[in-house]
Amino acid sequence: MDQPLKPPPLTPLYRILPSEPLLLMGAGPVPIPAAVALANGVVINHLGETMNAVIHEVKEMAKYAFQTESPYVMGVAGPSSAAMEMAITNLLWPGRKALILENGTFSARMGCMAEAVGASTDKIGGSHPAALDLDEVKAAFAKTKYDVVTLVQGETSCGVCNYNLPEIAAFCKSQGALVILDAVCTLTTMPMWMDQWEVDVVITGGQKGISSIPGVSLIAFSKTAWDVIIKRQAPMPHWCFDARKAHRFWGEQQYHYTAPVPGILAMYEALRLICEETLQKRFQRHKRSSEALQAGIEAMGLNLFVPTEIRLNSVVAIDIPKGIDGFKVRKTMADKFNVEISGAFGLDIIRIGQMGEQCRSHNLFKTLYAMGMAFRTQGFEVHLSKGMAALEQVLGGDLNDYVP
Ligand SMILES: Cc1ncc(COP(=O)(O)O)c(C=O)c1O
């Protein structure tokens, strides 16, 4: 080209970023520990002895997080939706049938992906906030045989948890179906026993409970799921998401594509911190943190969107009172208090995350205070000090006993 295009006007990054980083208290991404940030700044060759040692450790630590002894655990370059796509693409193809259990946006996404690869689908659930109903699942199987069932453990979009996951998984297995579970917002925040509950595929992202960076995700396949993948005759529509090809890298240290090295190193550190803390202590920390936050919100005079028995602890959904603009509440929190929380996908709620590093005492106090003040600014009178007192009381001490 004789006259090359000119570069655009340039703005240094620091002019775009806020002078003080916002505290990420939304539905993800979440704050990351310093060790994770440091690892994310390192690039090494994605093949070779050093990387092999890294991959070996990441797999062993991920097996602990998933609670599985399956060797078919791997990382995926991409968001949690990429891991979701890998699960769906490898186990569904034209002629296969899937039952999609829906609670909201993310469980519905698996249905879209299943249809896109040519599988036929039936859907049940769909209203929110509501948990899945085992009887409805049984009724669906009474009419049809399914190859795959998809569901989410915690539906981030509306704050509902399917606490009956073990019963649903056990029933689907008894019917010969493979179970694909989205544990994106729940993994390491609450119990998820992959082998014990006989879940066939579990997917998760880096940017939520694991407290790593977005963009590198994890997936685990059971031996039963792997056998289906190995025997598959139908052509694979994807290169990157082909689990057999991915296993060349994650199982045999051979080239598949250039791996996202810094993200894998960040995942290494995030998983190491999880193993050091132990799952039991981590689950306790999340539960205590979320329950204290919920108590504080209610004592302030706000309502929680989801009934206690099906409420997800990892993401807490709050009703926006009539006449109040949720967007303005969130904007005030961000602009005046440097705290960011989430809106929702068409629902009249705001959402506060309780995943990984979000579950620290200082983050809770800052967030609850910022939210109370923001509601006041919008003309909705909250009992700010009652809320803060309830938070302090239910917390019963700090959550920073384990600081990475
Ligand atoms: C439960 C759940 N599943 C899937 C996703 C999709 O994750 P990603 O945006 O990383 O693709 C999210 C993201 O919020 C989620 O909360």
Side-chain angles (χ1 to χ4, degrees), residues 89-326:
T89 306
N90 282 275
L91 293 169
L92 287 171
W93 55 87
R96 301 262 287 171
K97 203 161 171 54
L99 180 63
I100 312 294
L101 308 183
E102 282 189 17
N103 295 103
T105 308
F106 298 110
S107 36
R109 186 172 294 180
M110 288 194 272
C112 298
M113 290 179 179
E115 282 158 16
V117 296
S120 66
T121 61
D122 286 333
K123 294 170 190 165
I124 53 179
S127 63
H128 34 262
L132 298 172
D133 181 349
L134 177 57
D135 288 337
E136 275 189 57
V137 179
K138 286 183 176 169
F141 270 95
K143 286 190 231 143
T144 314
K145 183 171 162 34
Y146 295 99
D147 301 299
V148 165
V149 176
T150 67
L151 75 163
V152 67
Q153 184 175 27
E155 181 51 83
T156 323
S157 59
C158 60
V160 166
C161 185
N162 291 308
Y163 288 107
N164 56 359
L165 160 65
E167 291 78 29
I168 291 181
F171 173 75
C172 296
K173 289 299 288 178
S174 74
Q175 303 299 301
L178 294 172
V179 175
I180 298 179
L181 178 71
D182 171 335
V184 171
C185 88
T186 48
L187 199 83
T188 78
T189 73
M190 63 181 287
M192 197 295 298
W193 314 123
M194 178 172 172
D195 285 1
Q196 199 180 315
W197 294 350
E198 294 188 277
V199 181
D200 290 294
V201 189
V202 182
I203 60 145
T204 198
Q207 78 277 23
K208 305 221 185 205
I210 290 178
S211 274
S212 184
I213 59 150
V216 172
S217 305
L218 292 173
I219 188 164
F221 296 95
S222 70
K223 173 84 173 63
T224 319
W226 197 256
D227 285 346
V228 174
I229 290 170
I230 291 298
K231 289 189 193 130
R232 173 185 176 135
Q233 297 292 323
M236 265 299 293
H238 293 284
W239 177 277
C240 293
F241 298 146
D242 184 332
R244 282 178 292 198
K245 288 190 172 66
H247 193 251
R248 274 193 222 145
F249 178 76
W250 286 89
E252 297 151 31
Q253 287 87 46
Q254 288 173 31
Y255 176 73
H256 174 209
Y257 53 73
T258 305
V261 175
I264 294 176
L265 298 178
M267 180 64 85
Y268 182 114
E269 283 297 76
L271 288 169
R272 179 181 62 78
L273 295 170
I274 289 166
C275 294
E276 263 178 43
E277 184 176 12
T278 75
L279 286 178
Q280 285 84 346
K281 286 201 187 138
R282 203 169 170 90
F283 297 156
Q284 278 166 19
R285 173 159 66 83
H286 279 83
K287 191 167 183 299
R288 224 171 95 200
S289 178
S290 187
E291 286 178 357
L293 177 69
Q294 291 167 35
I297 292 167
E298 288 188 308
M300 223 178 230
L302 294 162
N303 291 327
L304 296 172
F305 181 58
V306 180
T308 327
E309 55 296 353
I310 59 167
R311 187 179 301 151
L312 176 64
N313 281 331
S314 325
V315 175
V316 178
I318 305 155
D319 282 331
I320 300 170
K322 274 212 167 54
I324 300 297
D325 183 340

